[in-house]
Amino acid sequence: MQEIANQVVDVLNSLIWGKVLIWLLVGCGLYFTARLGLIQFRHFGHIFTVLKGSRSSDDAGISSFQALCTSLAARVGTGNVAGVAVAITLGGPGAIFWMWMIALVGMATGFVEATLAQLFKTRDAEGQYRGGPAYYMEKGLNARWMGVLFSIFLIIAFGFVFNSVQANTISGAMAGAFGIKPWMSGVGVVVLTALIIFGGLRSIARFSELAVPFMAAAYLLVAIAVIVMNLSEIPAVLALIFKSAFGLHEAAAGGIGAAIMNGFKRGLFSNEAGMGSAPNAAASATPYPPHPASQGYVQMAGVVIDTLLICTASAAIILLAGVPSGDAQGIMLVQQALSSEVGSWAKYFLSVVILFFAFTSIVANYFYAENCLVFLEHNHAAGLVVFRLIVLAMVMFGALASLPFVWNLADVSMGLMAITNLVAILLLSDLAIKLARDYNRQRQAGKLPTFDASQFPELQSKLEPGIWDDRR
Protein backbone atom coordinates (compact mmCIF):
# COMPACT_ATOMS: atom_id res chain seq x y z
CA MET A 1 0.00 0.00 0.00
CA GLN A 2 2.85 2.38 0.86
CA GLU A 3 4.51 1.67 -2.49
CA ILE A 4 1.29 2.40 -4.41
CA ALA A 5 0.81 5.66 -2.49
CA ASN A 6 4.38 6.69 -3.32
CA GLN A 7 3.82 5.98 -7.01
CA VAL A 8 0.60 8.02 -7.11
CA VAL A 9 2.26 10.95 -5.35
CA ASP A 10 5.26 10.78 -7.71
CA VAL A 11 3.01 10.90 -10.80
CA LEU A 12 1.08 13.89 -9.43
CA ASN A 13 4.32 15.69 -8.57
CA SER A 14 5.67 15.13 -12.07
CA LEU A 15 2.49 16.50 -13.64
CA ILE A 16 2.08 19.51 -11.35
CA TRP A 17 5.70 20.60 -11.09
CA GLY A 18 7.04 19.43 -14.43
CA LYS A 19 4.27 20.65 -16.71
CA VAL A 20 2.21 23.34 -14.93
CA LEU A 21 3.37 25.05 -11.76
CA ILE A 22 7.01 25.83 -12.51
CA TRP A 23 6.11 27.82 -15.62
CA LEU A 24 3.04 29.41 -14.06
CA LEU A 25 5.04 30.45 -11.01
CA VAL A 26 7.92 31.94 -12.97
CA GLY A 27 5.58 33.52 -15.51
CA CYS A 28 3.49 35.23 -12.81
CA GLY A 29 6.59 36.50 -11.04
CA LEU A 30 8.02 37.99 -14.23
CA TYR A 31 4.62 39.37 -15.28
CA PHE A 32 4.04 41.16 -11.96
CA THR A 33 7.65 42.33 -11.85
CA ALA A 34 7.22 43.95 -15.26
CA ARG A 35 3.77 45.44 -14.63
CA LEU A 36 4.80 46.84 -11.26
CA GLY A 37 7.90 48.41 -12.79
CA LEU A 38 10.50 46.29 -10.94
CA ILE A 39 8.89 47.29 -7.65
CA GLN A 40 11.01 44.90 -5.57
CA PHE A 41 14.19 46.59 -6.80
CA ARG A 42 13.11 50.24 -7.18
CA HIS A 43 11.30 50.35 -3.84
CA PHE A 44 13.56 48.01 -1.87
CA GLY A 45 14.37 50.70 0.68
CA HIS A 46 10.70 51.60 1.14
CA ILE A 47 10.01 48.05 2.33
CA PHE A 48 11.94 48.80 5.51
CA THR A 49 10.50 52.32 5.80
CA VAL A 50 7.03 50.76 6.03
CA LEU A 51 8.29 48.34 8.66
CA LYS A 52 9.17 51.27 10.94
CA GLY A 53 5.47 52.03 11.41
CA SER A 54 4.38 48.42 11.57
CA ARG A 55 3.81 48.18 15.32
CA SER A 56 0.43 49.97 15.37
CA SER A 57 -2.84 48.02 15.51
CA ASP A 58 -6.45 48.36 16.65
CA ASP A 59 -9.13 46.22 18.29
CA ALA A 60 -9.99 44.51 15.01
CA GLY A 61 -6.52 43.65 13.76
CA ILE A 62 -3.03 42.64 14.78
CA SER A 63 -0.11 44.92 13.91
CA SER A 64 1.64 44.69 10.55
CA PHE A 65 4.76 43.53 12.39
CA GLN A 66 2.80 40.74 14.07
CA ALA A 67 1.34 39.76 10.68
CA LEU A 68 4.86 39.68 9.23
CA CYS A 69 6.12 37.56 12.13
CA THR A 70 3.16 35.20 11.78
CA SER A 71 3.84 34.75 8.07
CA LEU A 72 7.55 34.32 8.83
CA ALA A 73 6.68 31.75 11.48
CA ALA A 74 5.12 29.66 8.72
CA ARG A 75 7.82 30.46 6.15
CA VAL A 76 10.84 29.95 8.38
CA GLY A 77 10.70 26.25 9.08
CA THR A 78 12.17 23.03 7.80
CA GLY A 79 12.38 24.43 4.28
CA ASN A 80 15.07 26.86 5.44
CA VAL A 81 17.30 24.15 6.87
CA ALA A 82 16.31 20.61 5.83
CA GLY A 83 14.78 21.89 2.57
CA VAL A 84 17.99 23.62 1.54
CA ALA A 85 19.90 20.40 2.25
CA VAL A 86 17.42 18.43 0.12
CA ALA A 87 17.78 20.94 -2.73
CA ILE A 88 21.59 20.68 -2.68
CA THR A 89 21.55 16.88 -2.39
CA LEU A 90 19.15 16.39 -5.31
CA GLY A 91 19.96 19.39 -7.50
CA GLY A 92 23.53 20.27 -6.65
CA PRO A 93 24.84 23.64 -5.38
CA GLY A 94 23.24 25.37 -8.38
CA ALA A 95 19.81 24.84 -6.81
CA ILE A 96 20.67 27.69 -4.41
CA PHE A 97 20.94 30.14 -7.33
CA TRP A 98 17.47 29.19 -8.51
CA MET A 99 16.14 29.57 -4.96
CA TRP A 100 17.44 33.14 -5.06
CA MET A 101 15.85 33.78 -8.45
CA ILE A 102 12.45 32.47 -7.46
CA ALA A 103 12.61 34.68 -4.35
CA LEU A 104 13.46 37.84 -6.31
CA VAL A 105 10.66 37.45 -8.84
CA GLY A 106 8.40 36.09 -6.12
CA MET A 107 8.60 39.34 -4.18
CA ALA A 108 6.36 40.98 -6.79
CA THR A 109 3.88 38.10 -6.59
CA GLY A 110 3.91 38.37 -2.79
CA PHE A 111 3.16 42.09 -3.05
CA VAL A 112 0.11 41.46 -5.23
CA GLU A 113 -1.45 38.70 -3.13
CA ALA A 114 -0.93 40.55 0.18
CA THR A 115 -2.41 43.76 -1.23
CA LEU A 116 -5.50 41.94 -2.50
CA ALA A 117 -5.90 40.13 0.83
CA GLN A 118 -5.93 43.46 2.68
CA LEU A 119 -8.41 45.01 0.27
CA PHE A 120 -11.02 42.25 0.51
CA LYS A 121 -10.68 41.41 4.22
CA THR A 122 -13.75 40.97 6.43
CA ARG A 123 -14.56 40.76 10.15
CA ASP A 124 -15.37 37.48 11.88
CA ALA A 125 -17.95 36.90 14.62
CA GLU A 126 -15.51 38.28 17.21
CA GLY A 127 -14.85 41.45 15.22
CA GLN A 128 -11.33 40.46 14.13
CA TYR A 129 -10.06 40.83 10.60
CA ARG A 130 -10.07 37.75 8.39
CA GLY A 131 -9.07 37.44 4.78
CA GLY A 132 -6.82 35.83 2.22
CA PRO A 133 -7.09 34.21 -1.20
CA ALA A 134 -10.41 32.48 -0.48
CA TYR A 135 -11.91 35.86 0.36
CA TYR A 136 -10.59 37.73 -2.66
CA MET A 137 -11.74 34.86 -4.87
CA GLU A 138 -15.25 35.16 -3.45
CA LYS A 139 -15.49 38.95 -3.32
CA GLY A 140 -13.15 40.05 -6.07
CA LEU A 141 -13.98 37.38 -8.64
CA ASN A 142 -17.48 36.49 -7.42
CA ALA A 143 -16.31 32.87 -7.38
CA ARG A 144 -16.99 31.34 -4.00
CA TRP A 145 -16.50 27.90 -5.54
CA MET A 146 -12.91 28.85 -6.25
CA GLY A 147 -12.45 30.04 -2.67
CA VAL A 148 -13.87 26.75 -1.41
CA LEU A 149 -11.47 24.79 -3.62
CA PHE A 150 -8.50 26.86 -2.44
CA SER A 151 -9.54 26.49 1.20
CA ILE A 152 -9.71 22.71 0.90
CA PHE A 153 -6.24 22.59 -0.66
CA LEU A 154 -4.82 24.91 2.01
CA ILE A 155 -6.37 22.96 4.87
CA ILE A 156 -4.90 19.74 3.51
CA ALA A 157 -1.51 21.37 2.87
CA PHE A 158 -1.03 23.56 5.93
CA GLY A 159 -3.36 22.06 8.49
CA PHE A 160 -2.32 18.50 7.83
CA VAL A 161 0.63 17.76 5.51
CA PHE A 162 2.95 20.69 6.22
CA ASN A 163 2.51 20.26 9.94
CA SER A 164 3.46 16.62 9.51
CA VAL A 165 6.62 17.75 7.69
CA GLN A 166 7.55 20.10 10.52
CA ALA A 167 6.90 17.47 13.19
CA ASN A 168 8.93 14.96 11.18
CA THR A 169 11.93 17.28 11.19
CA ILE A 170 11.58 17.99 14.92
CA SER A 171 11.55 14.29 15.79
CA GLY A 172 14.53 13.64 13.49
CA ALA A 173 16.55 16.46 15.01
CA MET A 174 15.73 15.45 18.59
CA ALA A 175 16.58 11.81 17.88
CA GLY A 176 19.88 12.72 16.23
CA ALA A 177 21.04 15.14 18.92
CA PHE A 178 19.56 13.83 22.17
CA GLY A 179 18.45 10.28 21.40
CA ILE A 180 14.82 11.16 22.12
CA LYS A 181 12.39 8.65 20.63
CA PRO A 182 10.15 10.08 17.87
CA TRP A 183 6.92 9.29 19.69
CA MET A 184 8.14 11.23 22.72
CA SER A 185 8.97 14.27 20.58
CA GLY A 186 5.56 13.95 18.95
CA VAL A 187 3.73 14.00 22.27
CA GLY A 188 5.69 17.05 23.43
CA VAL A 189 4.99 19.01 20.26
CA VAL A 190 1.29 18.09 20.37
CA VAL A 191 0.94 19.37 23.94
CA LEU A 192 2.75 22.67 23.23
CA THR A 193 0.77 23.22 20.02
CA ALA A 194 -2.53 22.66 21.79
CA LEU A 195 -1.67 25.25 24.44
CA ILE A 196 -1.22 27.94 21.79
CA ILE A 197 -3.79 27.20 19.09
CA PHE A 198 -6.63 27.02 21.58
CA GLY A 199 -5.75 30.62 22.55
CA GLY A 200 -6.84 32.06 19.19
CA LEU A 201 -5.35 34.48 16.66
CA ARG A 202 -3.91 37.04 19.08
CA SER A 203 -2.20 34.31 21.08
CA ILE A 204 -0.59 33.01 17.88
CA ALA A 205 0.45 36.55 16.85
CA ARG A 206 2.02 37.34 20.24
CA PHE A 207 3.91 34.05 20.27
CA SER A 208 5.20 34.65 16.73
CA GLU A 209 6.24 38.23 17.52
CA LEU A 210 8.47 36.99 20.34
CA ALA A 211 9.80 33.72 18.93
CA VAL A 212 10.52 34.53 15.28
CA PRO A 213 13.03 37.41 15.68
CA PHE A 214 14.90 35.50 18.40
CA MET A 215 15.24 32.23 16.50
CA ALA A 216 16.17 33.89 13.19
CA ALA A 217 18.83 36.09 14.80
CA ALA A 218 20.44 33.17 16.65
CA TYR A 219 20.70 31.07 13.49
CA LEU A 220 22.02 33.94 11.36
CA LEU A 221 24.71 34.76 13.94
CA VAL A 222 26.07 31.21 13.84
CA ALA A 223 25.99 31.22 10.03
CA ILE A 224 27.88 34.54 9.97
CA ALA A 225 30.48 33.00 12.28
CA VAL A 226 30.94 30.09 9.84
CA ILE A 227 31.29 32.54 6.94
CA VAL A 228 33.89 34.63 8.80
CA MET A 229 35.86 31.48 9.61
CA ASN A 230 35.92 30.59 5.90
CA LEU A 231 36.19 33.97 4.19
CA SER A 232 38.89 32.81 1.83
CA GLU A 233 36.60 30.08 0.48
CA ILE A 234 33.62 32.34 -0.31
CA PRO A 235 34.66 33.11 -3.93
CA ALA A 236 35.06 29.41 -4.69
CA VAL A 237 31.67 28.57 -3.19
CA LEU A 238 29.94 31.33 -5.17
CA ALA A 239 31.64 30.14 -8.35
CA LEU A 240 30.45 26.59 -7.64
CA ILE A 241 26.86 27.80 -7.20
CA PHE A 242 26.84 29.73 -10.47
CA LYS A 243 28.57 27.01 -12.48
CA SER A 244 26.16 24.37 -11.19
CA ALA A 245 23.16 26.62 -11.82
CA PHE A 246 23.89 26.78 -15.55
CA GLY A 247 25.06 23.23 -16.04
CA LEU A 248 28.77 24.11 -16.12
CA HIS A 249 29.38 21.87 -13.13
CA GLU A 250 27.77 18.45 -12.81
CA ALA A 251 24.77 18.42 -10.45
CA ALA A 252 23.85 15.43 -8.36
CA ALA A 253 20.77 14.35 -10.33
CA GLY A 254 20.66 15.56 -13.89
CA GLY A 255 22.57 18.81 -14.26
CA ILE A 256 20.82 22.10 -14.88
CA GLY A 257 17.33 20.58 -14.96
CA ALA A 258 17.74 19.12 -11.48
CA ALA A 259 19.17 22.39 -10.18
CA ILE A 260 16.25 24.45 -11.51
CA MET A 261 13.55 22.00 -10.44
CA ASN A 262 14.84 21.49 -6.90
CA GLY A 263 15.72 25.16 -6.44
CA PHE A 264 12.24 26.26 -7.49
CA LYS A 265 10.42 23.60 -5.48
CA ARG A 266 12.32 24.18 -2.28
CA GLY A 267 12.28 27.95 -2.85
CA LEU A 268 8.51 28.06 -3.11
CA PHE A 269 8.12 25.71 -0.17
CA SER A 270 10.31 28.05 1.86
CA ASN A 271 9.27 31.61 0.91
CA GLU A 272 5.68 30.73 -0.12
CA ALA A 273 5.43 33.67 -2.57
CA GLY A 274 2.44 33.01 -4.81
CA MET A 275 1.30 30.02 -2.81
CA GLY A 276 -1.53 31.95 -1.17
CA SER A 277 -0.54 31.22 2.43
CA ALA A 278 1.04 34.48 3.66
CA PRO A 279 -1.98 36.60 2.53
CA ASN A 280 -4.01 34.94 5.29
CA ALA A 281 -1.76 36.64 7.83
CA ALA A 282 -1.50 39.87 5.82
CA ALA A 283 -5.28 40.29 5.84
CA SER A 284 -5.41 40.12 9.64
CA ALA A 285 -3.31 43.27 10.07
CA THR A 286 -4.24 46.88 10.64
CA PRO A 287 -1.98 48.42 7.98
CA TYR A 288 0.10 51.55 8.33
CA PRO A 289 0.05 53.56 6.13
CA PRO A 290 -3.70 52.85 6.00
CA HIS A 291 -3.70 51.49 2.47
CA PRO A 292 -3.88 47.87 1.23
CA ALA A 293 -0.61 48.25 -0.70
CA SER A 294 1.38 48.97 2.47
CA GLN A 295 0.85 45.37 3.56
CA GLY A 296 2.19 44.30 0.17
CA TYR A 297 5.50 45.99 1.01
CA VAL A 298 5.57 44.38 4.46
CA GLN A 299 5.09 40.92 3.03
CA MET A 300 7.85 41.46 0.46
CA ALA A 301 10.17 41.82 3.45
CA GLY A 302 9.16 38.32 4.49
CA VAL A 303 10.52 36.84 1.24
CA VAL A 304 13.81 38.72 1.72
CA ILE A 305 14.27 37.49 5.29
CA ASP A 306 13.21 33.94 4.55
CA THR A 307 15.11 33.07 1.38
CA LEU A 308 17.79 35.69 0.79
CA LEU A 309 18.93 35.61 4.42
CA ILE A 310 18.01 32.40 6.24
CA CYS A 311 18.10 29.93 3.33
CA THR A 312 21.37 31.46 2.19
CA ALA A 313 22.73 30.97 5.71
CA SER A 314 21.91 27.25 5.54
CA ALA A 315 23.50 26.95 2.11
CA ALA A 316 26.65 28.67 3.35
CA ILE A 317 26.95 26.26 6.28
CA ILE A 318 26.61 23.20 4.02
CA LEU A 319 28.79 24.35 1.14
CA LEU A 320 31.58 25.86 3.22
CA ALA A 321 31.85 22.62 5.15
CA GLY A 322 31.70 20.56 1.96
CA VAL A 323 28.69 18.28 1.46
CA PRO A 324 29.42 15.34 3.82
CA SER A 325 29.51 11.87 2.34
CA GLY A 326 27.38 9.00 3.54
CA ASP A 327 23.64 8.55 3.88
CA ALA A 328 22.89 11.83 5.67
CA GLN A 329 19.97 13.81 4.30
CA GLY A 330 17.74 16.65 5.39
CA ILE A 331 18.45 18.02 8.83
CA MET A 332 21.13 15.37 9.48
CA LEU A 333 23.18 16.78 6.61
CA VAL A 334 23.10 20.29 8.08
CA GLN A 335 23.97 18.95 11.53
CA GLN A 336 27.04 17.19 10.13
CA ALA A 337 28.13 20.28 8.21
CA LEU A 338 27.75 22.67 11.15
CA SER A 339 29.44 20.28 13.58
CA SER A 340 32.44 19.99 11.27
CA GLU A 341 32.81 23.78 11.37
CA VAL A 342 32.19 24.79 14.98
CA GLY A 343 32.30 21.57 16.99
CA SER A 344 30.04 18.87 18.31
CA TRP A 345 27.95 21.34 20.33
CA ALA A 346 26.47 22.50 17.01
CA LYS A 347 24.18 19.52 16.68
CA TYR A 348 22.52 20.43 19.98
CA PHE A 349 22.25 24.09 18.98
CA LEU A 350 20.77 23.20 15.60
CA SER A 351 18.29 20.83 17.19
CA VAL A 352 16.99 23.65 19.37
CA VAL A 353 16.86 26.01 16.38
CA ILE A 354 14.93 23.43 14.37
CA LEU A 355 12.57 22.95 17.29
CA PHE A 356 11.82 26.68 17.23
CA PHE A 357 11.66 26.93 13.44
CA ALA A 358 9.38 23.95 13.00
CA PHE A 359 7.21 24.59 16.04
CA THR A 360 6.45 28.19 15.08
CA SER A 361 5.63 26.92 11.59
CA ILE A 362 3.15 24.44 13.02
CA VAL A 363 1.41 27.20 14.97
CA ALA A 364 1.25 29.61 12.02
CA ASN A 365 0.24 26.85 9.60
CA TYR A 366 -2.64 26.07 11.90
CA PHE A 367 -3.76 29.70 11.79
CA TYR A 368 -3.82 29.67 7.98
CA ALA A 369 -5.91 26.51 7.99
CA GLU A 370 -8.25 27.87 10.66
CA ASN A 371 -8.73 31.02 8.59
CA CYS A 372 -9.92 28.92 5.65
CA LEU A 373 -12.10 26.78 7.88
CA VAL A 374 -13.83 29.96 9.06
CA PHE A 375 -14.37 30.86 5.41
CA LEU A 376 -16.00 27.47 4.80
CA GLU A 377 -18.01 27.12 8.01
CA HIS A 378 -18.55 30.72 9.17
CA ASN A 379 -17.30 30.23 12.76
CA HIS A 380 -18.80 26.83 13.53
CA ALA A 381 -17.52 26.34 17.10
CA ALA A 382 -17.85 22.55 17.26
CA GLY A 383 -16.26 22.13 13.84
CA LEU A 384 -13.31 24.25 14.96
CA VAL A 385 -12.67 22.04 18.00
CA VAL A 386 -12.81 18.87 15.88
CA PHE A 387 -10.46 20.46 13.35
CA ARG A 388 -7.93 21.36 16.05
CA LEU A 389 -7.93 17.76 17.27
CA ILE A 390 -7.32 16.45 13.74
CA VAL A 391 -4.42 18.89 13.31
CA LEU A 392 -2.86 17.64 16.54
CA ALA A 393 -3.27 14.04 15.34
CA MET A 394 -1.47 14.91 12.09
CA VAL A 395 1.38 16.45 14.08
CA MET A 396 1.75 13.15 15.90
CA PHE A 397 1.60 11.24 12.61
CA GLY A 398 4.34 13.45 11.15
CA ALA A 399 6.68 12.71 14.04
CA LEU A 400 6.56 9.02 13.08
CA ALA A 401 6.25 9.14 9.25
CA SER A 402 9.00 8.56 6.68
CA LEU A 403 10.73 11.67 5.34
CA PRO A 404 10.53 11.12 1.53
CA PHE A 405 6.80 10.33 1.45
CA VAL A 406 5.86 13.29 3.65
CA TRP A 407 7.94 15.72 1.57
CA ASN A 408 6.45 14.42 -1.69
CA LEU A 409 2.91 14.70 -0.36
CA ALA A 410 3.66 18.27 0.73
CA ASP A 411 4.77 19.09 -2.81
CA VAL A 412 1.46 17.84 -4.29
CA SER A 413 -0.81 19.73 -1.91
CA MET A 414 1.30 22.89 -2.14
CA GLY A 415 1.23 22.73 -5.93
CA LEU A 416 -2.54 22.46 -6.24
CA MET A 417 -3.04 25.31 -3.79
CA ALA A 418 -0.52 27.53 -5.56
CA ILE A 419 -2.06 26.94 -8.99
CA THR A 420 -5.50 27.99 -7.73
CA ASN A 421 -4.11 31.14 -6.12
CA LEU A 422 -1.95 32.15 -9.09
CA VAL A 423 -4.92 31.93 -11.45
CA ALA A 424 -6.92 34.16 -9.10
CA ILE A 425 -4.28 36.88 -8.72
CA LEU A 426 -3.72 36.93 -12.47
CA LEU A 427 -7.42 37.60 -12.95
CA LEU A 428 -7.26 40.38 -10.33
CA SER A 429 -3.92 41.78 -11.50
CA ASP A 430 -5.32 45.00 -13.01
CA LEU A 431 -6.84 45.92 -9.66
CA ALA A 432 -3.63 45.19 -7.76
CA ILE A 433 -1.63 47.35 -10.19
CA LYS A 434 -4.14 50.16 -9.78
CA LEU A 435 -3.80 50.01 -5.98
CA ALA A 436 0.00 50.10 -6.22
CA ARG A 437 -0.12 53.16 -8.46
CA ASP A 438 -2.59 54.92 -6.16
CA TYR A 439 -0.31 54.26 -3.17
CA ASN A 440 2.81 55.54 -4.91
CA ARG A 441 1.09 58.62 -6.41
CA GLN A 442 0.22 59.73 -2.89
CA ARG A 443 3.70 58.92 -1.63
CA GLN A 444 5.34 60.90 -4.43
CA ALA A 445 3.05 63.85 -3.63
CA GLY A 446 4.39 63.87 -0.07
CA LYS A 447 1.17 62.49 1.44
CA LEU A 448 0.62 59.59 3.78
CA PRO A 449 -0.88 56.94 1.45
CA THR A 450 -4.48 56.44 2.51
CA PHE A 451 -7.02 54.28 0.75
CA ASP A 452 -10.18 56.11 -0.34
CA ALA A 453 -12.74 53.57 -1.51
CA SER A 454 -14.76 56.29 -3.25
CA GLN A 455 -11.98 56.58 -5.82
CA PHE A 456 -12.64 52.97 -6.85
CA PRO A 457 -16.32 52.85 -7.85
CA GLU A 458 -15.94 49.36 -9.29
CA LEU A 459 -15.26 48.10 -5.75
CA GLN A 460 -18.21 49.65 -3.94
CA SER A 461 -20.34 46.50 -3.92
CA LYS A 462 -17.42 44.16 -3.24
CA LEU A 463 -15.81 45.59 -0.10
CA GLU A 464 -16.85 44.65 3.41
CA PRO A 465 -18.97 47.52 4.86
CA GLY A 466 -17.27 49.50 7.63
CA ILE A 467 -13.67 48.50 6.90
CA TRP A 468 -12.58 50.87 4.12
CA ASP A 469 -15.54 53.31 4.18
CA ASP A 470 -13.51 56.15 5.65
CA ARG A 471 -9.86 55.55 6.41
CA ARG A 472 -9.03 59.25 6.23
Side-chain angles (χ1 to χ4, degrees), residues 396-409:
M396 190 67 200
F397 163 78
L400 305 174
S402 64
L403 179 63
F405 178 72
V406 174
W407 274 101
N408 288 336
L409 192 59

Side-chain angles (χ1 to χ4, degrees), residues 219-233:
Y219 187 60
L220 287 173
L221 284 173
V222 172
I224 290 170
V226 171
I227 292 171
V228 171
M229 291 166 58
N230 297 274
L231 275 179
S232 62
E233 298 178 39

